[in-house]
Amino acid sequence: MLLGCLPGVAAAVALVLCAYGVERAAEPSAAVPAPARETAAHTAPRPPIVSRTAWVGDDGRKQPPPRYDDKVVAVFVHHTDSPNDYDCAEAPTHIRSLYEGQTTARDWDDIGYNFVVDRCGTIYEGRAGGTGRPVTGAHTQGFNHRSTGVAALGTFTAGVPVPPAMERAIAALAAWKLGLSGTDPRSDVRLVSSNGGSRYAAGTTAMLPALAGHSDGFMTSCPGAALQARLPRIRETAAKLQGRRPDAGGRQEQQQEAQEKAQEKAQGENGRIAGIPR
């Protein structure tokens, strides 16, 4: 069965579920700059982001200095493969559990995700280094460079509703981060794979969605079929937040969304994991 996404601290066994879908941050890559769909600069306002101090506390693990890329041209969306029935006031505790699971059981230097979004739409800073800077994360094996990782707190397999507030927050975050490099969330970008364990051999230049699911870059079911199916709508919302007008690309995204839903239904009937990545 395909892997889910990065796990929490519930148990070391749970960590195996997504261990192969991530990698430690490495030196900045020489990825080819991403082409924007439009030449004019489009930006979006920075959404409210809760500092990592809200969940890491005063006893966070000592870690080496963060590493940076030159810019962010892609956003990878994940789910944490954890329970959905949490109180939003408890979100910092759950994020702390993710951090503990990754830094203790996996012996990583920090949480792999750059950001975590709860079901109420609250955005939390994840990996250290500065929310406005191109911090190299550890969220999508092969494609941690020039990208940022956003984790939806919960599990969003086929049939699980994606909270509208969470969806809006992911769109707002993607619009802001991609706007810093002038990247249209609806575009495709060129990323160079740094690890042969991804969907692409190391050194391969891949064309991936600027706002992608984890499964677009790695062989996994993450971010879950339900959330994967919402990505076309999230892309269009993010583009609008950047001040971009709906165009043929937007209509193509709507068509793609319909196709993905049809694929999800068909694969569900066949007993396979739905949500085929592009």
Side-chain angles (χ1 to χ4, degrees), residues 13-185:
V13 175
L15 290 164
V16 179
L17 293 175
C18 230
Y20 299 106
V22 298
E23 64 177 351
R24 292 181 185 274
E27 289 73 16
S29 69
V32 178
R37 181 171 289 179
E38 299 176 31
T39 57
H42 288 81
T43 59
R46 178 187 185 276
I49 300 173
V50 178
S51 169
R52 62 184 268 123
T53 58
W55 56 263
V56 77
D58 298 325
D59 56 346
R61 173 190 176 106
K62 184 178 180 180
Q63 57 195 55
R67 292 170 177 170
Y68 299 94
D69 289 300
D70 58 338
K71 57 184 175 180
V72 168
V73 298
V75 173
F76 282 97
V77 179
H78 305 252
H79 69 172
T80 57
D81 206 14
S82 55
N84 294 339
D85 58 349
Y86 55 88
D87 188 297
C88 289
E90 300 172 343
T93 300
H94 291 285
I95 299 172
R96 174 72 188 196
S97 294
L98 293 170
Y99 170 81
E100 291 287 356
Q102 293 166 16
T103 60
T104 302
R106 299 296 303 173
D107 196 30
W108 293 357
D109 59 5
D110 197 0
I111 190 170
Y113 307 119
N114 298 96
F115 301 93
V116 180
V117 180
D118 72 14
R119 65 186 185 87
C120 292
T122 302
I123 303 171
Y124 291 87
E125 176 186 14
R127 196 169 185 85
T131 59
R133 302 187 66 183
V135 179
T136 307
H139 49 82
T140 306
Q141 182 165 296
F143 297 103
N144 286 316
H145 297 294
R146 286 192 162 185
S147 69
T148 197
V150 180
L153 191 61
T155 301
F156 298 98
T157 49
V160 177
V162 179
M166 173 180 279
E167 189 174 316
R168 290 192 298 269
I170 294 173
L173 181 59
W176 170 60
K177 289 297 289 186
L178 293 176
L180 296 176
S181 63
T183 303
D184 188 332

